[in-house]
Amino acid sequence: MSHYDTVVIGAGNAGLMAATRLQREGSKTLLLERHNVPGGCATSFVRGEFEFEVALHQLSGVGTESNPFIMRRVFDELGVLDKIELVQEKELYRIIMPGRLDVTLPADWIELQNHLKSLFPMETDPIERFFKLSEAIVNEYYFVLPRVKLSNDEEKMRTKCPNFSAYGLRPTTDVLNEFFSTEDLINVITPYWSYVGIPTTDLVFAEFIGMIYFYCVYKPWHIKGGSQMLSSALLSSFEEAGGEVRFHCAAEKILTKDGVVSGVRLETGETVTCDAVVSNASPLITYHELLDLEILPPSVVKDFKSRRMGVSAVCLYLGLDCSPEEIGFTSASSFVMTTSNAEVTEDRMYTLEAPDWGMVTCYNFIDEELAPKGKSVVTLVALQYGEAWKDVPPEDYIATKYEFGDKLIDLIEQAYPKIREHIEKAEVATPMTMMRYLNTPGGAIYGFKQTLQDSSLFRESLDAIEGLYSSSSWTSMGGFQPTYLNGYYTARKIIKQLRRKNKTAV
């Protein structure tokens, strides 16, 4: 029977990150993946002569060579920075409200302020006050608050983080309405709510403004060749350090002895022993299906009862027979809306009604090799909950998903009117696709619903079972950077525990 210090279940973003750091720091690690490629959401697939990026829109937290941020340092530490090529996006995004506005925002904190003031001169003073406050909140929330929290002193938090205390936990809509009276200014700066799947009526301001700030200061990035290149680089670094990976090999059970993790039984029937398990699966699946305990710890049951399922998406992947410029693309990322931000609710996301909001990416606009010469790969995305699809009869599923894809094209062609006539290849993924491929309840792409109650400010980590660690978008804020860092920091926690255990044994 083989023994490993750690078994990592799932080679998604967090699993890859955890496994690579663990192995490189001396923990003998086995990585299990039920598919044939690593990456989870950070993968690509081929249809005809087109290769489509599954999910990644913009990678945050990288920074430039002269102003590096955490992801650049982490990639360097894990030996993958020299295995990938980073492509910087010059714009945050282009937002189009057909017949109403068409604005492209620069990915620079100062330039963004100046651009907004030139577009909305009547809001010059509010824009300046808003950006000053926003920068203070970001600094307090991300750099001061984590240290203040350790003191468990509310008065100290109010003293050290006055701007965060006053504005940070308020709904984004409320803060924006306090500063701005021009509806289109709010429309222009709010599309990033989609990156966590919570409309601005519910998304707390500190989380929202943090996305804009960090994308401006540390820039949005694309991995040349697609996110599969980063997943493959992490796997390569893991194997170079001596790690073992098994593809087409799922975990069947996480085994315990006296309430402590003891091993993993594979679907092949083989059992391996280990001191720790990192599950990249949803905690719901980890604890209800994989763990061998019949009765879950009360703390876990209580945690799950207070959670809500996060949003999923419909993704329409298009291969076009023309260049991005012929369609009218002027940036890699676009948002198309036929309704004001103030009218965006989750109600439509629970139905199969025509979407009134969508994301559009065309990454061969900045990475020409992603598509055959003179052609384009475009992804259209509409957020949607899995419940919208649960009553669709199996015999109607394929027709229904392409009907919804057609509705998404109807929306997008209001901004890019030539797109339909140039479609050469089309593929649709629904929440059911996400559920099947990612093995996530409801096909959720960001894990649990990213509400304030689910933030790290109010949630404790699931550590009721000694040696069992959950690491994925389900245990952190959704998105690529948070998920990568979740795996990275989970590995650090395990390394400390294993070293402490080994020291005690000696």
Side-chain angles (χ1 to χ4, degrees), residues 17-18 20-25 69-83 234 237-238 241 485 488-489 491-492 495 499:
M17 208 68 160
T20 303
R21 185 176 186 187
L22 284 163
Q23 185 65 41
R24 287 175 65 89
E25 295 203 27
F69 200 42
I70 188 167
M71 294 311 300
R72 186 177 291 269
R73 294 196 292 267
V74 166
F75 290 153
D76 188 34
E77 175 190 325
L78 297 184
V80 300
L81 193 58
D82 61 349
K83 292 182 171 69
L234 281 165
S237 182
F238 170 71
L485 290 180
Y488 180 81
Y489 290 126
R492 181 175 68 178
I495 290 164
R499 286 174 180 170

Side-chain angles (χ1 to χ4, degrees), residues 14 53 56 84 94-95 101 122 161 187 199 201 207 245 285 322-323 334 353 369 380 395 447 466 477 488 499:
E53 172 71 57
L56 181 60
I84 59 174
R94 178 184 179 187
I95 177 169
L101 61 83
M122 71 296 292
C161 305
N187 288 332
T201 49
E207 297 281 7
V245 59
I285 290 175
C322 63
S323 70
S334 304
E353 294 178 18
E369 296 177 7
L380 316 180
E395 62 271 20
E466 184 178 339
M477 185 179 178
Y488 180 81
R499 286 174 180 170

Side-chain angles (χ1 to χ4, degrees), residues 49-332:
E49 60 179 337
F50 297 98
E51 183 169 359
F52 297 102
E53 172 71 57
V54 168
L56 181 60
H57 295 282
Q58 295 172 319
L59 179 61
S60 58
V62 175
T64 61
E65 290 186 5
S66 59
N67 185 29
F69 200 42
I70 188 167
M71 294 311 300
R72 186 177 291 269
R73 294 196 292 267
V74 166
F75 290 153
D76 188 34
E77 175 190 325
L78 297 184
V80 300
L81 193 58
D82 61 349
K83 292 182 171 69
I84 59 174
E85 184 176 343
L86 295 163
V87 181
Q88 182 181 333
E89 293 186 54
K90 302 300 183 182
E91 300 85 21
L92 294 179
Y93 52 79
R94 178 184 179 187
I95 177 169
I96 303 170
M97 298 184 71
R100 181 167 174 173
L101 61 83
D102 185 342
V103 175
T104 301
L105 297 186
D108 182 90
W109 189 244
I110 301 300
E111 289 181 17
L112 175 59
Q113 296 175 59
N114 293 334
H115 189 54
L116 291 176
K117 286 188 284 189
S118 70
L119 292 172
F120 306 98
M122 71 296 292
E123 298 270 24
T124 293
D125 181 61
I127 288 171
E128 290 178 353
R129 289 189 290 109
F130 176 81
F131 273 79
K132 184 177 180 180
L133 171 72
S134 297
E135 190 165 1
I137 289 175
V138 169
N139 182 64
E140 291 172 4
Y141 183 45
Y142 290 95
F143 302 109
V144 180
L145 186 61
R147 297 194 298 271
V148 173
K149 274 181 61 182
L150 297 175
S151 69
N152 200 30
D153 185 336
E154 291 187 16
E155 180 58 32
K156 188 175 182 180
M157 187 186 80
R158 284 190 289 269
T159 302
K160 296 289 186 180
C161 305
N163 298 288
F164 172 78
S165 298
Y167 287 92
L169 299 183
R170 290 175 58 185
T172 298
T173 294
D174 290 358
V175 178
L176 294 174
N177 287 337
E178 180 177 321
F179 278 84
F180 306 128
S181 58
T182 306
E183 186 177 48
D184 278 348
L185 171 55
I186 294 175
N187 288 332
V188 164
I189 63 177
T190 47
Y192 271 161
W193 66 263
S194 59
Y195 281 14
V196 291
I198 300 289
T200 57
T201 49
D202 299 316
L203 179 60
V204 296
F205 183 66
E207 297 281 7
F208 167 76
I209 199 60
M211 287 187 286
I212 295 180
Y213 179 85
F214 287 119
Y215 274 123
C216 281
V217 174
Y218 299 108
K219 312 308 175 187
W221 293 87
H222 163 75
I223 308 298
K224 187 173 179 60
S227 61
Q228 183 70 68
M229 303 300 289
L230 176 53
S231 300
S232 297
L234 281 165
L235 180 67
S236 175
S237 182
F238 170 71
E239 291 184 305
E240 287 169 2
E244 179 183 346
V245 59
R246 300 190 193 182
F247 290 110
H248 295 297
C249 185
E252 187 175 87
K253 280 294 176 185
I254 298 171
L255 308 176
T256 61
K257 183 177 182 181
D258 299 325
V260 179
V261 163
S262 61
V264 175
R265 184 169 70 242
L266 313 184
E267 64 177 1
T268 60
E270 179 187 355
T271 295
V272 299
T273 60
C274 61
D275 299 310
V277 168
V278 177
S279 177
N280 195 49
S282 158
L284 296 171
I285 290 175
T286 300
Y287 282 87
H288 286 300
E289 298 181 16
L290 292 177
L291 192 62
D292 66 354
L293 298 180
E294 293 185 5
I295 300 177
L296 298 182
S299 61
V300 174
V301 175
K302 181 180 179 181
D303 182 275
F304 288 169
K305 284 183 177 180
S306 63
R307 301 278 194 173
R308 296 294 179 268
M309 199 66 66
V311 75
S312 187
V314 172
C315 299
L316 175 60
Y317 305 97
L318 300 177
L320 307 181
D321 64 4
C322 63
S323 70
E325 290 78 9
E326 290 177 79
I327 295 296
F329 286 104
T330 57
S331 65

